[in-house]
Amino acid sequence: MENDNFIWSGHEWDCQEDMAWFIDAERDVLCCLNFQTGECDGIAKVPNESVNKFMQNTRCIKVENEIFCMPCYGNKIWIYDLLNKKFEFIEVENVETEHPYMENAYLYEEQIYAISRSMRKAVVIDVKTKKVTYYPLNVSEEDKFLGSCIRVEREIYYVSFSNRIYMFDMDSKRNTLYSILDEETKLTSICFDGEQFWMSGYRKQIYIWNKKNNSVRIVENFPKIFGSYLFSEEKDEILDCEPNEYDVQLFCQLKLAGNYIWAIPYRTNFVLYIHKDTLEIQMMFIEDEDETKESLMRKGRRPFKFFWQYLRNDRFIGIFSLKNNCILEIDSECLEARRRKYMLSVNYARIICAEKVMWESNSVERMLFARALNGDQTSTNSIQRTGQVGRFIYNSLK
């Protein structure tokens, strides 16, 4: 159905009570979704100067009446004042690589902490003064790009596409290195179950690390029908279940919810959930999420299965389906998944239509254009643009 079409965020939503704040990763719009009504409103267009809006700012965090938008491909931390409806920005200083990649943000004692994966620094923002301080993470020279991270009280743990785990103490600003497993292991995702850390990488293995005694258990009894989808026109097969190690990481996210650690696929074919006590692995079958050769060759979509979006009330997991262009919500207690029919508001549609060329081949933008046209029959100005239409077309194509 057309109303199933929704937008996706490059990184985790900031869920607070019945509301969620996130950034449309493809169009660079700050959004607010009401879980009770299902309506998603466009708050404001993030005023990045780049013509390419893709993944400029992808993670946001709401602190009182301000929303801090952390950059991924962009070079500014944008701060939106909900009362004055205005943006201000902080330049990201000392950018040593092309993109900052600040994918996580944690509020701790009136400061926001983010890990820049490419700069390999902790970025600390005072929420009152807007002053930014950078702390080098002192990671190994071999770890040129960092993986995902998790906050545990006053500590941030992050992995590094190697067998090394790092910890940044938000009080002392000091780092600690832990090396586990063999040197060929590549860790990409990490979560915490209250006692132990769970990690995954490129192998059909889940690693459970007990920090107290520095011991590791490996869960590897993966189902035989578990494999990675082949997003390639050169092969007739659509699924590869044979290897024990792949060229792409298996999961985009590990997350504790209920009694299970949930492993959300990046390119693999099933959502897995592992009981944190018995370590039994189970697969979740989600209706209409099995792929075909035709669906894997979908035009204009990224070659992935799901994107992680949110966890709300420590129970409901939201993931974005790239096959069906919608949000799927998993109930970690009932062990069921359903499509959420979130609706993009007319205001959101107007923000998009006023700023960019709409592509008829894109189902989301086709729907947005129709909503902008039909949303206010009394106004002919709702989707008018400033400047020349030709300039918008040229900027979109170049």
Side-chain angles (χ1 to χ4, degrees):
M1 293 178 60
E2 196 76 3
N3 285 345
D4 286 348
N5 286 309
F6 199 65
I7 54 180
W8 57 274
S9 175
H11 297 106
E12 189 166 18
W13 299 8
D14 184 12
C15 297
Q16 299 187 12
E17 297 179 349
D18 291 331
M19 309 297 286
W21 306 86
F22 67 94
I23 300 171
D24 179 345
E26 293 189 297
R27 300 167 189 86
D28 210 20
V29 176
L30 178 60
C31 302
C32 179
L33 186 138
N34 185 317
F35 284 112
Q36 294 299 315
T37 66
E39 182 173 66
C40 178
D41 195 17
I43 302 303
K45 186 85 172 176
V46 182
N48 281 301
E49 296 177 357
S50 174
V51 172
N52 183 5
K53 303 302 182 183
F54 181 73
M55 297 281 283
Q56 291 293 298
N57 292 73
T58 56
R59 177 70 166 95
C60 69
I61 179 169
K62 182 177 180 290
V63 182
E64 296 181 351
N65 291 312
E66 293 182 318
I67 304 174
F68 291 74
C69 305
M70 313 305 292
C72 182
Y73 293 173
N75 58 7
K76 294 181 177 66
I77 299 167
W78 289 97
I79 307 166
Y80 187 73
D81 188 317
L82 289 167
L83 298 180
N84 297 321
K85 298 183 179 180
K86 291 182 179 180
F87 276 103
E88 62 178 304
F89 67 85
I90 303 171
E91 290 277 2
V92 176
E93 299 177 352
N94 303 319
V95 177
E96 300 168 358
T97 53
E98 186 178 357
H99 306 304
Y101 292 100
M102 298 183 198
E103 298 177 3
N104 288 279
Y106 307 107
L107 180 65
Y108 179 68
E109 294 188 346
E110 297 192 337
Q111 292 182 316
I112 293 173
Y113 288 76
I115 299 295
S116 171
R117 296 175 61 185
S118 55
M119 296 164 61
R120 299 184 301 173
K121 294 180 180 179
V123 183
V124 183
I125 309 165
D126 187 297
V127 298
K128 300 298 183 184
T129 65
K130 308 301 188 292
K131 180 182 177 181
V132 180
T133 308
Y134 300 87
Y135 294 92
L137 296 176
N138 300 321
V139 301
S140 168
E141 284 299 319
E142 299 175 6
D143 295 329
K144 297 186 182 302
F145 194 77
L146 302 176
S148 65
C149 61
I150 183 75
R151 174 188 172 182
V152 180
E153 297 179 349
R154 61 181 175 85
E155 299 170 337
I156 301 175
Y157 293 81
Y158 48 99
V159 293
S160 57
F161 296 91
S162 67
N163 68 329
R164 289 176 285 274
I165 305 166
Y166 296 92
M167 184 273 287
F168 178 77
D169 188 303
M170 291 185 285
D171 282 338
S172 68
K173 309 298 188 293
R174 294 180 178 177
N175 301 275
T176 305
L177 165 65
Y178 305 90
S179 294
I180 67 171
L181 303 164
D182 61 77
E183 292 185 356
E184 300 301 318
T185 304
K186 294 184 288 187
L187 303 173
T188 60
S189 301
I190 184 170
C191 76
F192 185 64
D193 69 1
E195 296 181 1
Q196 301 181 106
F197 293 87
W198 296 61
M199 289 158 286
S200 65
Y202 292 76
R203 297 174 183 171
K204 286 183 180 177
Q205 295 176 331
I206 301 289
Y207 312 103
I208 308 172
W209 174 49
N210 186 310
K211 178 186 172 183
K212 292 181 180 179
N213 56 30
N214 198 31
S215 64
V216 178
R217 286 187 294 173
I218 300 177
V219 179
E220 51 189 345
N221 55 324
F222 278 54
K224 292 183 178 180
I225 59 173
F226 177 86
S228 181
Y229 280 117
L230 299 170
F231 292 83
S232 172
E233 297 179 355
E234 300 175 357
K235 297 182 179 181
D236 294 331
E237 300 85 0
I238 66 170
L239 187 66
D240 187 5
C241 298
E242 294 301 320
N244 287 319
E245 184 170 358
Y246 293 92
D247 294 332
V248 178
Q249 66 188 71
L250 268 66
F251 306 110
C252 63
Q253 185 72 262
L254 298 181
K255 187 69 73 172
L256 170 70
N259 293 318
Y260 300 93
I261 301 296
W262 294 82
I264 307 303
Y266 210 35
R267 286 189 176 182
T268 52
N269 57 335
F270 292 109
V271 172
L272 300 184
Y273 53 106
I274 306 105
H275 197 285
K276 67 178 183 177
D277 297 323
T278 67
L279 307 187
E280 179 185 5
I281 297 179
Q282 299 184 62
M283 298 185 300
M284 174 165 285
F285 294 83
I286 302 177
E287 184 179 0
D288 196 30
E289 281 300 326
D290 51 318
E291 301 279 3
T292 64
K293 186 66 176 180
E294 181 180 4
S295 68
L296 290 176
M297 295 300 105
R298 44 188 174 260
K299 294 182 179 180
R301 306 304 302 167
R302 311 278 162 184
F304 302 106
K305 181 60 189 165
F306 295 120
F307 289 150
W308 170 263
Q309 301 292 269
Y310 63 83
L311 173 66
R312 65 183 181 94
N313 300 332
D314 294 323
R315 173 177 175 176
F316 300 101
I317 295 170
I319 58 178
F320 184 86
S321 165
L322 281 94
K323 177 188 177 186
N324 291 302
N325 215 37
C326 67
I327 297 288
L328 302 170
E329 191 172 83
I330 298 170
D331 186 329
S332 65
E333 291 187 8
C334 298
L335 303 180
E336 297 176 346
R338 61 166 178 153
R339 286 195 189 190
R340 290 300 304 258
K341 295 184 181 297
Y342 296 138
M343 175 66 71
L344 296 168
S345 71
V346 173
N347 182 57
Y348 178 88
R350 288 175 183 155
I351 290 174
I352 298 302
C353 291
E355 294 290 337
K356 72 186 293 294
V357 171
M358 310 298 284
W359 295 97
E360 188 176 4
S361 59
N362 185 303
S363 59
V364 173
E365 295 188 358
R366 190 168 62 244
M367 177 265 291
L368 287 172
F369 186 72
R371 283 191 62 74
L373 282 177
N374 299 326
D376 187 355
Q377 298 290 348
T378 64
S379 174
T380 59
N381 296 320
S382 59
I383 60 170
Q384 286 186 358
R385 311 179 193 277
T386 58
Q388 297 180 352
V389 172
R391 177 169 58 83
F392 283 91
I393 297 174
Y394 172 75
N395 286 336
S396 297
L397 293 175
K398 72 176 183 178

